[in-house]
Amino acid sequence: MNPQITPYSGTETKKEQVASMFNNISGTYDFLNHFLSLGIDIIWRKKAIKELLSSRPQKILDVATGTGDFAFESIKILKPQQIIGVDISEGMLEVAKKKIAERKLGDVFSVQKGDSEGLHFDNDTFDAITVAFGVRNYENLEKGLADMFRVLKPGGKVVILEFSKPRVFPVKQLYHFYFKYATPFFGGLFSKDKKAYAYLEESVQAFPDGKNFTALMEKVGYQNTKHRSLTFGISAIYTGIK
């Protein structure tokens, strides 16, 4: 993972810049997610969560929870006893808290500020861990994966949904054009932070997707890792067992 790929120029660390970026775009994040993906992100989330159907985890950690969409979908599909969401952005967590209150799900879903590379939980705490579109923002990807492994129970499963790089014509070329030009334009138009959406394309290009990512998962201890491409390789689901 290239630590030089950051949302903004400046002396702050990548982690600090990512937190600022999500604070800046938190108010329009949900709308732009669905708008820019043409709603396909909802389908991707459902497919990822269904990877946990057979194990029916009761205690789930949702890392980089953002505004909570992945966790809300998990509640619908999996009906766990408890989901805890962690994120480094206060702005995103405030949106998540409002949504939890509106949906009256406070007895199941709670959120707190937290860092993927230093999770404030004991070893072997969670039946499953989920991350949607968050791992490419980790400052130290290997350290983040290792700390998630630490708090996962033996036999527990991690499910990671992340953008990847299509490799077939013409999807590769269309995808590159859309992410490099259309996404920053519309992202900047609605969120007033064009750099945040330019960073999206840059962070995807820098992310070690496919077999490179499953190899990193295996390096920190995950077993039975799998990689499943979605929508012509635009995104992917990664799974592993502790």
Side-chain angles (χ1 to χ4, degrees):
M1 196 63 176
N2 186 346
Q4 302 306 314
I5 301 297
T6 57
Y8 313 109
S9 58
T11 57
E12 298 89 350
T13 65
K14 177 175 180 176
K15 194 174 299 181
E16 291 168 338
Q17 290 193 35
V18 166
S20 295
M21 177 187 75
F22 282 113
N23 286 339
N24 292 343
I25 66 175
S26 58
T28 55
Y29 181 80
D30 284 342
F31 164 74
L32 279 168
N33 251 8
H34 305 324
F35 175 77
L36 292 172
S37 72
L38 308 177
I40 299 172
D41 64 304
I42 298 169
I43 298 170
W44 292 340
R45 285 185 174 89
K46 288 179 180 179
K47 286 180 181 291
I49 291 161
K50 286 178 180 177
E51 292 284 344
L52 293 170
L53 266 175
S54 61
S55 57
R56 290 284 181 181
Q58 292 303 299
K59 188 170 185 178
I60 301 172
L61 176 65
D62 188 40
V63 181
T65 196
T67 64
D69 274 2
F70 205 44
F72 289 124
E73 202 63 50
S74 293
I75 292 168
K76 285 182 193 175
I77 295 172
L78 302 173
K79 297 177 172 54
Q81 291 179 356
Q82 181 184 26
I83 293 185
I84 299 174
V86 297
D87 202 283
I88 60 172
S89 166
E90 296 275 13
M92 298 288 271
L93 291 175
E94 285 305 311
V95 176
K97 288 173 184 176
K98 288 177 184 175
K99 289 162 72 173
I100 291 168
E102 288 167 0
R103 300 175 195 197
K104 297 179 172 59
L105 288 173
D107 57 331
V108 178
F109 182 25
S110 62
V111 295
Q112 57 186 261
K113 191 172 183 180
D115 179 359
S116 61
E117 297 165 28
L119 296 163
H120 298 299
F121 303 104
D122 293 335
N123 296 353
D124 309 330
T125 297
F126 296 95
D127 301 316
I129 296 177
T130 58
V131 194
F133 307 115
V135 291
R136 75 179 188 286
N137 297 319
Y138 288 6
E139 189 167 78
N140 186 318
L141 182 55
E142 185 176 330
K143 188 176 179 182
L145 288 172
D147 209 46
M148 291 193 299
F149 183 84
R150 177 185 65 80
V151 302
L152 188 62
K153 288 180 181 177
K157 189 172 187 177
V158 65
V159 177
I160 297 168
L161 175 63
E162 189 53 87
F163 287 114
S164 55
K165 299 181 281 290
R167 290 169 170 81
V168 297
F169 178 85
V171 179
K172 177 181 177 180
Q173 288 73 18
L174 291 170
Y175 175 87
H176 178 72
F177 177 85
Y178 186 74
F179 263 55
K180 191 167 184 65
Y181 300 104
T183 299
F185 173 77
F186 287 111
L189 184 66
F190 290 105
S191 74
K192 310 305 180 188
D193 191 341
K194 187 176 180 179
K195 287 185 178 179
Y197 287 89
Y199 162 77
L200 172 61
E201 193 266 344
E202 293 166 359
S203 65
V204 171
Q205 291 302 318
F207 183 70
D209 61 348
K211 291 181 180 179
N212 292 324
F213 187 65
T214 53
L216 191 58
M217 291 176 70
E218 290 164 8
K219 181 180 178 183
V220 301
Y222 294 100
Q223 299 178 354
N224 301 328
T225 61
K226 293 179 182 177
H227 160 236
R228 176 184 170 195
S229 290
L230 301 173
T231 317
F232 308 107
I234 293 173
S235 70
I237 298 169
Y238 301 91
T239 58
I241 306 293
K242 180 171 179 178

mmCIF file of all heavy atoms in Angstrom, residues 1-6:
data_model
loop_
_atom_site.group_PDB
_atom_site.id
_atom_site.type_symbol
_atom_site.label_atom_id
_atom_site.label_comp_id
_atom_site.label_asym_id
_atom_site.label_seq_id
_atom_site.Cartn_x
_atom_site.Cartn_y
_atom_site.Cartn_z
ATOM 1 N N MET A 1 0.855 -1.193 0.000
ATOM 2 C CA MET A 1 0.000 0.000 0.000
ATOM 3 C C MET A 1 0.884 1.233 0.000
ATOM 4 O O MET A 1 1.805 1.349 0.801
ATOM 5 C CB MET A 1 -0.875 -0.025 1.267
ATOM 6 C CG MET A 1 -2.057 0.910 1.230
ATOM 7 S SD MET A 1 -3.224 0.502 -0.080
ATOM 8 C CE MET A 1 -4.486 1.696 0.260
ATOM 9 N N ASN A 2 0.625 2.139 -0.886
ATOM 10 C CA ASN A 2 1.458 3.329 -0.998
ATOM 11 C C ASN A 2 1.018 4.379 0.012
ATOM 12 O O ASN A 2 -0.052 4.963 -0.116
ATOM 13 C CB ASN A 2 1.334 3.900 -2.419
ATOM 14 C CG ASN A 2 2.290 5.053 -2.653
ATOM 15 O OD1 ASN A 2 2.863 5.602 -1.705
ATOM 16 N ND2 ASN A 2 2.480 5.417 -3.899
ATOM 17 N N PRO A 3 1.847 4.652 1.043
ATOM 18 C CA PRO A 3 1.435 5.613 2.070
ATOM 19 C C PRO A 3 1.376 7.043 1.559
ATOM 20 O O PRO A 3 0.851 7.929 2.215
ATOM 21 C CB PRO A 3 2.518 5.447 3.146
ATOM 22 C CG PRO A 3 3.721 4.966 2.400
ATOM 23 C CD PRO A 3 3.182 4.113 1.288
ATOM 24 N N GLN A 4 1.925 7.299 0.358
ATOM 25 C CA GLN A 4 1.932 8.652 -0.194
ATOM 26 C C GLN A 4 0.592 9.035 -0.838
ATOM 27 O O GLN A 4 0.368 10.195 -1.154
ATOM 28 C CB GLN A 4 3.060 8.782 -1.224
ATOM 29 C CG GLN A 4 4.449 8.472 -0.673
ATOM 30 C CD GLN A 4 4.782 9.298 0.546
ATOM 31 O OE1 GLN A 4 4.562 10.505 0.568
ATOM 32 N NE2 GLN A 4 5.295 8.649 1.587
ATOM 33 N N ILE A 5 -0.279 8.054 -1.061
ATOM 34 C CA ILE A 5 -1.587 8.358 -1.650
ATOM 35 C C ILE A 5 -2.491 8.897 -0.552
ATOM 36 O O ILE A 5 -2.984 8.154 0.292
ATOM 37 C CB ILE A 5 -2.217 7.106 -2.302
ATOM 38 C CG1 ILE A 5 -1.294 6.554 -3.386
ATOM 39 C CG2 ILE A 5 -3.586 7.433 -2.880
ATOM 40 C CD1 ILE A 5 -1.054 7.488 -4.546
ATOM 41 N N THR A 6 -2.689 10.197 -0.541
ATOM 42 C CA THR A 6 -3.488 10.858 0.482
ATOM 43 C C THR A 6 -4.514 11.781 -0.171
ATOM 44 O O THR A 6 -4.315 12.234 -1.305
ATOM 45 C CB THR A 6 -2.597 11.682 1.432
ATOM 46 O OG1 THR A 6 -1.852 12.639 0.653
ATOM 47 C CG2 THR A 6 -1.630 10.790 2.202
#
